[in-house]
Amino acid sequence: DAGVTQSPTHLIKTRGQQVTLRCSPKSGHDTVSWYQQALGQGPQFIFQYYEEEERQRGNFPDRFSGHQFPNYSSELNVNALLLGDSALYLCASSLGGRPNTEAFFGQGTRLTVV
Amino acid sequence: AQSVSQHNHHVILSEAASLELGCNYSYGGTVNLFWYVQYPGQHLQLLLKYFSGDPLVKGIKGFEAEFIKSKFSFNLRKPSVQWSDTAEYFCAVNANTGFQKLVFGTGTRLLVSP
């Protein structure tokens, strides 16, 4: 049973560039959420995708955008990268995205902006 | 807005010692509560969850947590830790309305010495 997979595992980008991170949810899951985990902090909610639509968003600027495909996989895009965007980006999948369900996390993509 | 406080940022214990990690949240409504663990180099894994019912919940690997509604607390306990429990522990909460949006604490880094 494939868990949540994310790619790439590590990425180095220059300030001002754009980046795309990818996530495949756990088999049978239809909801994908993205989190940013800065060093020494807990994960912070970026947004959630369900039925190919963004249905909830955290306190992140519009530079952060996403997409969900018909097969439920998802992408996170970050434009005009800042040094402060350096973090571990986590993808979590669940079924239906309801609050009383378990979210399964991937290993994350470590993004370094230089 | 919801928030989660984890009082202990670093904890060092010897094997066989008892563990209690504090977690307090702020939110006036009904919540779902979670403890996640992140072992070195691995993804976030669910230790245990509380949705409703018995406030004493048991999770994997001998962990348990007690939900005390009047104190807005969900402390994690283990009677006897092992070296393999060395990891970072995150408490998380989401409101039991709308969509799943986990709010995490800053984490507690536990080191168990053999």
Side-chain angles (χ1 to χ4, degrees):
Chain A
D1 180 20
V4 180
T5 57
Q6 293 186 242
S7 63
T9 53
H10 295 83
L11 204 51
I12 300 175
K13 288 287 189 178
T14 304
R15 270 182 305 175
Q17 285 189 314
Q18 178 265 344
V19 69
T20 298
L21 312 181
R22 295 175 176 82
C23 171
S24 291
K26 180 178 169 65
S27 177
H29 285 183
D30 57 7
T31 304
V32 171
S33 302
W34 288 92
Y35 291 79
Q36 180 195 66
Q37 187 177 11
L39 205 60
Q41 301 295 317
Q44 288 197 15
F45 178 82
I46 302 175
F47 42 51
Q48 182 182 90
Y49 278 86
Y50 173 71
E51 293 188 341
E52 301 180 52
E53 288 193 0
E54 180 185 305
R55 65 179 194 180
Q56 193 168 11
R57 189 176 184 94
N59 294 326
F60 282 81
D62 292 345
R63 297 187 298 108
F64 290 76
S65 63
H67 188 78
Q68 186 179 36
F69 299 93
N71 66 353
Y72 307 121
S73 66
S74 177
E75 288 182 348
L76 164 65
N77 301 293
V78 187
N79 293 323
L81 284 166
L82 304 173
L83 295 179
D85 295 331
S86 295
L88 180 67
Y89 288 85
L90 297 170
C91 170
S93 75
S94 60
L95 185 59
R98 296 181 299 276
N100 57 346
T101 56
E102 179 180 346
F104 290 78
F105 284 82
Q107 285 203 290
T109 295
R110 172 79 59 189
L111 172 65
T112 302
V113 182
V114 298
Chain B
Q2 304 146 50
S3 66
V4 177
S5 297
Q6 291 184 243
H7 318 296
N8 317 100
H9 298 293
H10 292 89
V11 173
I12 301 174
L13 294 172
S14 299
E15 273 192 319
S18 64
L19 170 72
E20 180 159 3
L21 301 182
C23 173
N24 286 89
Y25 67 92
S26 68
Y27 182 70
T30 305
V31 294
N32 301 305
L33 298 156
F34 307 81
W35 275 97
Y36 280 87
V37 61
Q38 192 168 32
Y39 297 104
Q42 296 190 26
H43 61 280
L44 277 170
Q45 301 172 41
L46 184 69
L47 267 181
L48 46 79
K49 60 185 182 288
Y50 173 80
F51 293 154
S52 63
D54 188 344
L56 184 62
V57 292
K58 296 192 183 298
I60 60 171
K61 305 188 180 187
F63 286 91
E64 65 177 31
E66 185 175 12
F67 171 47
I68 303 180
K69 189 175 180 180
S70 61
K71 295 185 178 180
F72 299 90
S73 70
F74 191 55
N75 292 352
L76 180 71
R77 299 194 292 249
K78 186 171 184 179
S80 176
V81 294
Q82 301 173 312
W83 175 79
S84 57
D85 293 324
T86 294
E88 190 156 20
Y89 293 81
F90 293 94
C91 180
V93 63
N94 72 253
N96 195 30
T97 58
F99 312 121
Q100 182 191 73
K101 173 187 170 183
L102 292 169
V103 176
F104 285 86
T106 52
T108 296
R109 198 172 290 273
L110 172 67
L111 175 63
V112 180
S113 57

